[in-house]
Amino acid sequence: MTSTRLTVPTSGGAMPAHLWLPASGSGPGVLLLQEIFGISPYIERRAQDLADLGYVVVAPEIWWRQGVSRVAEGPDAMDIAFGLLNDVDWAAAVGDSIAGLDVLRQRDEVTGGVGVMGFCFGGGLAFDVAARTQVDALVSYYGSALPDLLGVVEADPRVTVVGPEAVTAPSLHQFGMTDQFLTRPVVEQIQGLLEPLPNVTWHGYETADHAFDNPDFFLYDAEASRLAWERTSAWLAATL
């Protein structure tokens, strides 16, 4: 995997980010937003997968304000990651992501549309970004902030409820129906709000748990991951 480091100007300073280019050197753009472990090896692999499909990919280090690029593997990784999540300034993270999107749009290599894609923490963040600025596509894998953003649960005070119709761009949502972090009733409420809307594609995976796409995580589901990525690839090709 070959990526280039770059910086993104934000209200708080220069945010580190990573750039992947397709073999052709140009293509549509995808802003890739991390899970709670930061720019992990898994996120780097997915960025390369997107580049292999022909996309220009920028992945910003959203934990940069907390001085972290990625959470190292180890017995305390989950505690560290949830600590970062609990301390994050959500509004700043959204603003930083939008700044990353602006940098991506301005790159000469980007030809065609620009979308935003995220996993877990990044899936919710991507939804909020798409609700607040124009994107051409949104892909959200088990967005952990969606219950708050949609008002399904009592919202985290850091998060502003935006509602299900806030995102007007075509969107693809992938959820495990046995998600132990969001729970099935919550996932079904999210599905009930989003699936009937125009330009929304929803896929639920009956036996998949949270973070089912990450082979480095204990909840990985190989079949759900394979099918979800196959659908994601086809959807992005049709949309961007």
Side-chain angles (χ1 to χ4, degrees):
M1 296 181 292
T2 303
S3 64
T4 304
R5 294 187 67 86
L6 67 153
T7 57
V8 174
T10 77
S11 62
M15 174 175 61
H18 305 259
L19 169 71
W20 284 259
L21 295 177
S24 65
S26 64
V30 174
L31 183 76
L32 181 60
L33 297 178
Q34 66 185 51
E35 53 178 8
I36 61 172
F37 300 110
I39 306 300
S40 62
Y42 158 65
I43 291 297
E44 291 178 330
R45 292 194 298 271
R46 276 303 185 215
Q48 184 63 54
D49 291 338
L50 289 166
D52 290 343
L53 292 173
Y55 301 100
V56 177
V57 182
V58 167
E61 295 183 5
I62 300 299
W63 295 150
W64 76 282
R65 292 177 184 257
Q66 293 154 280
V68 175
S69 171
R70 68 172 60 169
V71 177
E73 293 184 19
D76 58 350
M78 287 289 289
D79 289 340
I80 294 171
F82 276 107
L84 291 165
L85 178 63
N86 290 335
D87 291 340
V88 72
D89 182 329
W90 182 265
V94 173
D96 291 347
S97 301
I98 292 173
L101 189 69
D102 292 341
V103 165
L104 176 61
R105 285 188 190 280
Q106 294 163 12
R107 293 200 64 88
D108 293 338
E109 301 95 338
V110 173
T111 57
V114 174
V116 59
M117 179 177 183
F119 297 86
C120 185
F121 165 73
L125 189 61
F127 187 92
D128 209 349
V129 167
R132 298 177 188 280
T133 192
Q134 182 61 44
V135 297
D136 298 301
L138 162 68
V139 179
S140 175
Y141 273 66
Y142 33 83
S144 56
L146 279 172
D148 302 85
L149 293 167
L150 297 177
V152 169
V153 299
E154 184 176 350
D156 185 317
R158 297 172 295 179
V159 173
T160 300
V161 176
V162 296
E165 298 179 347
V167 175
T168 57
S171 63
L172 169 64
H173 296 270
Q174 312 254 30
F175 275 91
M177 299 307 293
T178 60
D179 192 314
Q180 64 183 267
F181 291 98
L182 300 180
T183 76
R184 187 182 186 107
V186 169
V187 171
E188 288 177 341
Q189 287 183 70
I190 295 170
Q191 179 181 5
L193 290 171
L194 292 179
E195 192 173 30
L197 297 178
N199 297 322
V200 171
T201 301
W202 169 281
H203 292 295
Y205 300 87
E206 190 62 33
T207 62
D209 206 317
H210 195 74
F212 66 78
D213 188 57
N214 184 351
D216 300 332
F217 196 63
F218 72 100
L219 296 177
Y220 175 60
D221 185 312
E223 178 57 22
S225 174
R226 181 200 63 78
L227 181 55
W229 191 254
E230 181 180 286
R231 288 168 166 170
T232 296
S233 301
W235 187 88
L236 280 172
T239 306
L240 287 182

